[in-house]
Amino acid sequence: MDFSYLGQLLLGGLTRGSIYALLALGYTMVYGIIELINFAHGDIYMVGAFTALIASTVLLNYGVPHLAAIILAGVAAVIYSSAYGYTVEKIAYKPLRNASRLAPLISAIGASLFLESYVLLLQTSDFLPFPALIPNFKFWAPYESLFSSTELVILITTIVVMILLTVLIKFTKIGKAMRATSQDRVMAALMGINVDRVISITFIVGSAIAAIGGVLIASHIGQINFYMGFIAGIKAFVAAVLGGIGSMPGAVLGSFVLGLSESLFTGYVSSDYQDVFAFTILVAILIFRPSGLLGRSENQKV
Amino acid sequence: MLKLKDLQAFYGNIQALKGISLEIQEGEIISLIGANGAGKSTTLMTISGIVPAREGEILFKDKPINKLPPDKIAALGISQVPEGRRIFPYLTVMENLDMGAFLRNDKSGVKQDLEYVLELFPILAERRNQAGGTLSGGEQQMLAISRAIMTRPKLLLLDEPSLGLAPIITKQIFEIIKKFNKESNTTIFLVEQNANLALQVADRGYVMENGVITISDTGENLLVNEDVKKAYLGI
């Protein structure tokens, strides 16, 4: 057995898993709070990548150094995507808060199509090259061929984001309000929590994290197009369901399980069928463990 | 302190409140009794702004509140312990109590109230790091009342505090409700199916039937009222 090949696949799986995790967190947070699958979430990630491309092109043109450019472009992407996430919620979901569950779901698909078409019309349908913004670190040079500096940054960023998010949810006042709102929206309102604001903040936080994922994947792969959020979004959704939708540790676990197993499947079986593989996993979970790895079964929710 | 004027509310097309008028003075305990489905819980949910008032008016300290969102009504000092207690099941006991103090910024006052409720219900101190959903029904009721006290309410709305509890625990909870009313001079509006208990602690009571108020009198008089006795006291 070729262990270095296996190692490579596992490291590649970690990178995939990180990106899925950054996206899956947004799905699971929104689902946890308003029980909606936000199909536009993948497109928010795409908007983040486009914002970063535009911002970094401008910045590099003005001679800003690479590292500063990626940080500023990342910040621009986070702000822009958050604003989109906030607006999509206000326009497409909030008016349907008391409608049947199917209505906001259809609205979400509409929002997704809208964002894709909007970028298609305003930008292009072609793949655009994305500059490799993350430099190859000198200290990392011996390992560069195994696990690139960009991949290292992706993994570390993901870990940092997860830690910050955990602190936010567990210990801050707004985090507690988010958990309370997700467990019982009426009771949260009776305690004086402005539920609409909590929902808005959830969309903003989820979108910001997705934007970070979008920028990182774009600078890893080196090209973007208006459709990039679709498959990534669906895969992250599979990861969130695999982990147990509504559960944040579940989303992270599901993402890494999906990333690693997808990577192994690609390496040992076939790369042509990797998307089929992900959806096979989805079908299998829905049949055998619909509440996911760490999900709570519905009847526990009193 | 609180005045309902010809209040009407609907669930879809069904009219749950058909013109309710009542009045609560500061420091009173008022009981609203009636059968299942009479509209008692709807009355409380309408006061709290969860169910919209279609007609009529709700005045709190002479100001209309029926157009305000629920969080703004809570901010005025109206706190509700809803039917079924609605403890946040995956928050710990302490986090549930924290949610009660969500709108407050007076740290020392919050600490003081926390000590007060833990003294009132020592079992909650024992269970402080346990998830709310794992408590027994009686403990959950204690937690729900404590959480409401943590808001330092001016008006406390209690919906069926006796529901599903053993008689001995019910008695204990009613004693504490009365004690809290005396010690803090907090106005209490109590909704109950257990008419006997509710009327014993109440200064005044209202009887509700099919979305309208049929009788109103002092608690003592209602306890001996022939119609009330026949319909609600099982005598």
Side-chain angles (χ1 to χ4, degrees):
Chain A
M1 192 160 179
D2 184 352
F3 281 104
S4 80
Y5 183 58
L6 175 66
Q8 242 171 30
L9 291 179
L10 291 177
L11 288 171
L14 276 185
T15 310
R16 269 173 200 260
S18 299
I19 296 295
Y20 291 156
L22 291 175
L23 264 174
L25 283 168
Y27 275 108
T28 222
M29 283 169 76
V30 165
Y31 186 86
I33 219 149
I34 54 173
E35 300 198 348
L36 165 76
I37 309 294
N38 179 13
F39 281 115
H41 191 60
D43 301 299
I44 296 289
Y45 150 100
M46 175 269 294
V47 166
F50 269 87
T51 311
L53 175 63
I54 295 166
S56 62
T57 309
V58 172
L59 289 167
L60 293 174
N61 240 350
Y62 280 98
V64 176
H66 265 64
L67 202 62
I70 189 170
I71 291 172
L72 288 172
V75 171
V78 163
I79 293 172
Y80 220 72
S81 288
S82 299
Y84 271 89
Y86 174 85
T87 312
V88 164
E89 193 271 326
K90 281 278 177 280
I91 293 175
Y93 308 145
K94 185 160 178 261
L96 300 170
R97 192 73 43 85
N98 296 317
S100 75
R101 281 184 69 169
L102 202 57
L105 211 62
I106 293 167
S107 188
I109 294 171
S112 165
L113 290 173
F114 175 84
L115 285 175
E116 282 169 22
S117 312
Y118 163 78
V119 173
L120 169 69
L121 289 174
L122 248 65
Q123 301 293 329
T124 170
S125 62
D126 298 331
F127 276 92
L128 293 173
F130 195 94
L133 292 170
I134 301 169
N136 289 350
F137 304 122
K138 278 207 185 78
F139 74 92
W140 194 251
Y143 318 105
E144 193 67 48
S145 60
L146 266 178
F147 196 64
S148 71
S149 295
T150 304
E151 290 179 293
L152 182 67
V153 170
I154 290 176
L155 185 62
I156 291 174
T157 309
T158 305
I159 293 169
V160 169
V161 165
M162 284 177 334
I163 292 171
L164 289 178
L165 191 62
T166 308
V167 170
L168 175 83
I169 299 291
K170 271 230 135 72
F171 301 112
T172 66
K173 200 165 179 170
I174 182 68
K176 278 183 203 164
M178 282 168 149
R179 280 188 289 153
T181 304
S182 79
Q183 290 170 31
D184 190 335
R185 206 190 301 168
V186 169
M187 194 62 229
L190 288 176
M191 298 273 77
I193 294 169
N194 184 336
V195 170
D196 285 335
R197 188 183 301 158
V198 169
I199 293 171
S200 290
I201 291 172
T202 307
F203 272 86
I204 289 172
V205 172
S207 303
I209 297 172
I212 294 172
V215 177
L216 291 173
I217 194 72
S219 87
H220 177 49
I221 294 179
Q223 56 177 13
I224 61 175
N225 87 337
F226 74 98
Y227 206 54
M228 67 182 276
F230 181 73
I231 275 289
I234 297 236
K235 294 274 190 71
F237 168 64
V238 172
V241 172
L242 172 59
I245 193 137
S247 154
M248 306 228 300
V252 174
L253 179 68
S255 297
F256 281 106
V257 169
L258 181 67
L260 288 167
S261 55
E262 221 181 37
S263 181
L264 293 175
F265 181 86
T266 312
Y268 288 120
V269 186
S270 158
S271 59
D272 295 338
Y273 291 102
Q274 58 162 313
D275 295 344
V276 175
F277 174 72
F279 296 124
T280 310
I281 288 191
L282 178 63
V283 172
I285 318 157
L286 292 177
I287 292 172
F288 296 109
R289 202 176 155 80
S291 59
L293 297 172
L294 302 181
R296 298 160 175 148
S297 57
E298 274 303 304
N299 57 16
Q300 261 177 298
K301 200 166 180 178
V302 186
Chain B
M1 179 173 224
L2 184 79
K3 214 185 244 177
L4 309 188
K5 280 189 190 164
D6 193 32
L7 193 63
Q8 298 190 33
F10 290 73
Y11 277 116
N13 289 324
I14 300 159
Q15 185 164 13
L17 302 183
K18 299 172 183 163
I20 303 281
S21 299
L22 58 80
E23 207 176 332
I24 300 173
Q25 307 297 333
E26 194 161 349
E28 278 187 313
I29 299 186
I30 300 297
S31 287
L32 178 63
I33 61 169
N36 231 345
K40 305 187 301 294
S41 297
T42 310
T43 307
L44 293 193
M45 284 300 183
T46 311
I47 295 171
S48 285
I50 302 288
V51 174
R54 198 177 290 184
E55 296 285 338
E57 211 175 16
I58 305 172
L59 297 173
F60 182 65
K61 297 186 168 173
D62 300 323
K63 286 196 189 101
I65 59 166
N66 43 309
K67 296 272 183 273
L68 295 178
D71 55 300
K72 293 280 182 306
I73 293 173
L76 291 173
I78 300 180
S79 192
Q80 188 182 158
V81 178
E83 191 176 4
R85 306 177 277 268
R86 302 186 92 142
I87 294 300
F88 298 114
Y90 305 109
L91 297 189
T92 65
V93 167
M94 285 309 273
E95 285 172 335
N96 266 285
L97 293 174
D98 277 353
M99 292 322 302
F102 184 77
L103 291 172
R104 294 175 60 181
N105 294 315
D106 56 322
K107 274 200 175 140
S108 62
V110 170
K111 209 175 149 224
Q112 209 180 319
D113 287 353
L114 188 61
E115 279 164 14
Y116 176 75
V117 297
L118 293 182
E119 208 173 294
L120 224 46
F121 301 109
I123 187 79
L124 295 181
E126 267 173 58
R127 302 244 187 276
R128 57 173 57 209
N129 293 320
Q130 221 168 297
T134 64
L135 301 185
S136 73
E139 288 163 357
Q140 286 195 0
Q141 189 63 59
M142 294 173 195
L143 178 56
I145 291 173
S146 301
R147 183 176 59 181
I149 291 176
M150 290 301 292
T151 66
R152 200 172 267 193
K154 297 189 173 73
L155 171 65
L156 180 59
L157 310 173
L158 291 171
D159 197 346
E160 304 262 1
S162 77
L163 193 75
L165 300 186
I168 183 156
I169 295 176
T170 306
K171 215 177 146 215
Q172 191 192 347
I173 284 184
F174 271 80
E175 271 163 20
I176 283 175
I177 291 169
K178 210 164 177 184
K179 185 176 162 209
F180 175 65
N181 165 263
K182 284 239 165 62
E183 283 176 3
S184 64
N185 198 35
T186 305
T187 314
I188 293 178
F189 187 28
L190 174 68
V191 157
E192 259 294 348
Q193 278 194 62
N194 187 335
N196 196 13
L197 262 174
L199 293 176
Q200 275 174 27
V201 298
D203 297 308
R204 291 185 300 117
Y206 291 90
V207 180
M208 195 167 188
E209 250 172 83
N210 291 325
V212 290
I213 286 184
T214 50
I215 314 173
S216 103
D217 208 331
T218 64
E220 289 161 8
N221 286 348
L222 286 176
L223 277 170
V224 294
N225 181 306
E226 285 304 321
D227 294 334
V228 175
K229 266 168 128 177
K230 237 186 265 162
Y232 303 105
L233 299 174
I235 306 168

